[in-house]
């Protein structure tokens, strides 16, 4: 079914796709790699996002429906050997499907014009796996957007894309704003800006009890190892800590984000008449 066989790792098309593993080439081409059937399915749901599809013969048989859908959408499809797929893929055990996709990020102005009720901000987050997991969590909690500041990891990093489990294609993602301009823009859009930090004076329970979380909120999450810098903590409306009831020293980034985002989601839904 696939339109053309590529058997050499030296093929120009294979080499062009492989270069997208590097951020500089992704930025230049405004394209990235998405691996696996779930990512391919989500990319196909968006018009014009899936640019090329590489598949092994085995994956072509296993995911016949996706290949057929891609063909009907006019996506160029290339059947490759296991050796070529191993060269393209960024996983130890490739799933046999790999898509070249167009960037999906949007402008901040468009997100804030909506206006949003729940926004997730990643500031100085460097681990792509954590970033992708927070993106997935934000999607599940109903966040209206996820914003990656200029000091954070690239959301199109292969590990981040995989950790998002398709959520990169579900909700508006903003890439690259500077924090000194982002916070005023969030506040001007009517959002209360909260930073999640273990040293916060306000507990999450207190924020819930006060009704703060029932209104439009932007949560800011920081670096996995050293948290948020002082200039960010000073600029937000409130620094909030997740209470620790047991003996654990702290929560990891993705878990803390899940607790905070779901607290806001529940508070907002409870405040909205059904």
């Amino acid at each position: 079914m696939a339109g053309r066989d590529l058997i050499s790792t030296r093929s120009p098309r294979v080499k062009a796709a492989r270069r997208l593993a590097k951020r500089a080439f992704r930025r230049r081409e405004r394209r990235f790699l998405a691996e696996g059937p779930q990512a391919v399915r989500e990319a196909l749901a968006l018009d014009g996002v899936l640019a090329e599809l590489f598949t092994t013969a085995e994956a072509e048989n296993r995911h016949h429906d996706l290949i057929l859908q891609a063909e009907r959408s006019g996506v160029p499809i290339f059947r490759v050997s296991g050796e070529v797929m191993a060269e393209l893929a960024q996983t130890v055990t490739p799933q046999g499907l790999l898509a070249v996709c167009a960037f999906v990020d949007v402008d901040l102005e468009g997100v804030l014009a909506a206006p949003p009720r729940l926004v997730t901000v990643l500031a100085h987050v460097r681990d792509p796996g954590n970033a992708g997991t927070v993106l997935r969590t934000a999607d599940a909690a109903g966040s209206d957007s996820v914003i990656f500041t200029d000091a954070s990891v690239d959301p199109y990093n292969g590990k981040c894309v995989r950790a998002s489990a398709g959520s990169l294609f579900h909700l508006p993602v903003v890439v690259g704003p500077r924090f000194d301009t982002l916070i005023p823009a969030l506040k001007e859009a009517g959002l209360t800006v909260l930073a999640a930090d273990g040293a916060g004076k306000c507990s999450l329970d207190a924020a819930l009890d006060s009704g703060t979380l029932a209104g439009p909120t932007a949560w800011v999450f920081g670096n996995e190892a050293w948290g948020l810098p002082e200039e960010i903590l000073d600029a937000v409306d409130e620094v909030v800590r997740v209470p620790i009831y047991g003996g654990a020293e702290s929560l990891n980034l993705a878990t803390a984000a899940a607790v905070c985002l779901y607290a806001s989601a529940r508070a907002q839904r409870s405040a909205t008449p059904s």
Side-chain angles (χ1 to χ4, degrees), residues 177-224:
R178 291 175 52 87
F179 212 89
D180 55 357
T181 59
L182 174 61
I183 289 186
L186 293 171
K187 292 181 178 181
E188 186 175 345
L191 293 154
T192 299
V193 183
L194 305 176
D197 191 275
K201 293 182 179 179
C202 176
S203 73
L204 186 63
D205 292 339
L208 276 166
D209 292 342
S210 69
T212 299
L213 301 189
T217 303
W219 277 102
V220 183
F221 304 103
N223 183 272
E224 301 83 351

Side-chain angles (χ1 to χ4, degrees), residues 139-164:
D139 182 20
S143 182
D144 295 302
S145 177
V146 177
I147 300 172
F148 288 71
T149 64
D150 62 335
S152 286
V153 68
D154 179 12
Y156 299 115
N157 174 287
K159 188 174 181 180
C160 185
V161 174
R162 293 192 299 276
S164 80

Side-chain angles (χ1 to χ4, degrees), residues 6-228:
L6 295 175
I7 60 174
S8 173
T9 58
R10 297 183 179 181
S11 161
R13 194 172 294 272
V14 171
K15 292 169 70 174
R18 186 70 184 92
R19 283 198 297 267
L20 298 177
K22 297 182 179 180
R23 186 171 189 172
F25 285 100
R26 290 196 296 270
R27 284 183 170 180
R28 190 180 73 181
E29 303 295 332
R30 288 197 58 80
R31 289 185 171 190
F32 68 102
L33 300 177
E35 185 176 347
Q38 183 178 9
V40 170
R41 185 175 292 106
E42 302 298 344
L44 278 169
L46 300 177
D47 290 339
V49 168
L50 207 159
E52 294 177 347
L53 180 61
F54 296 88
T55 176
T56 61
E58 182 182 2
E60 184 179 345
N61 292 329
R62 188 185 309 119
H63 304 290
H64 178 86
D65 58 329
L66 288 178
I67 303 298
L68 184 59
Q69 184 180 351
E71 278 193 330
R72 288 173 175 171
S73 299
V75 176
I77 303 172
F78 304 95
R79 185 190 293 115
V80 299
S81 65
E83 180 187 8
V84 172
M85 182 58 70
E87 178 74 14
L88 287 170
Q90 297 173 287
T91 54
V92 176
T93 308
Q95 298 180 64
L97 282 178
L98 185 136
V100 175
C101 299
F103 277 13
V104 295
D105 54 278
V106 299
D107 291 335
L108 177 64
E109 292 76 11
V111 167
L112 298 184
R117 288 192 56 80
L118 183 58
V119 171
T120 304
V121 180
L122 299 181
H124 298 269
V125 174
R126 303 294 173 82
D127 183 271
N130 278 338
T133 302
V134 174
L135 177 54
R136 181 181 183 180
T137 301
D139 182 20
S143 182
D144 295 302
S145 177
V146 177
I147 300 172
F148 288 71
T149 64
D150 62 335
S152 286
V153 68
D154 179 12
Y156 299 115
N157 174 287
K159 188 174 181 180
C160 185
V161 174
R162 293 192 299 276
S164 80
S167 289
L168 176 63
F169 301 102
H170 290 170
L171 75 172
V173 173
V174 178
V175 180
R178 291 175 52 87
F179 212 89
D180 55 357
T181 59
L182 174 61
I183 289 186
L186 293 171
K187 292 181 178 181
E188 186 175 345
L191 293 154
T192 299
V193 183
L194 305 176
D197 191 275
K201 293 182 179 179
C202 176
S203 73
L204 186 63
D205 292 339
L208 276 166
D209 292 342
S210 69
T212 299
L213 301 189
T217 303
W219 277 102
V220 183
F221 304 103
N223 183 272
E224 301 83 351
W226 40 266
L228 290 164

Side-chain angles (χ1 to χ4, degrees), residues 232-255:
I232 291 180
L233 297 177
D234 291 340
V236 300
D237 293 304
E238 191 74 71
V239 181
V240 180
R241 72 179 186 279
V242 176
I244 303 293
Y245 301 118
E249 180 183 1
S250 62
L251 296 174
N252 66 26
L253 171 63
T255 303

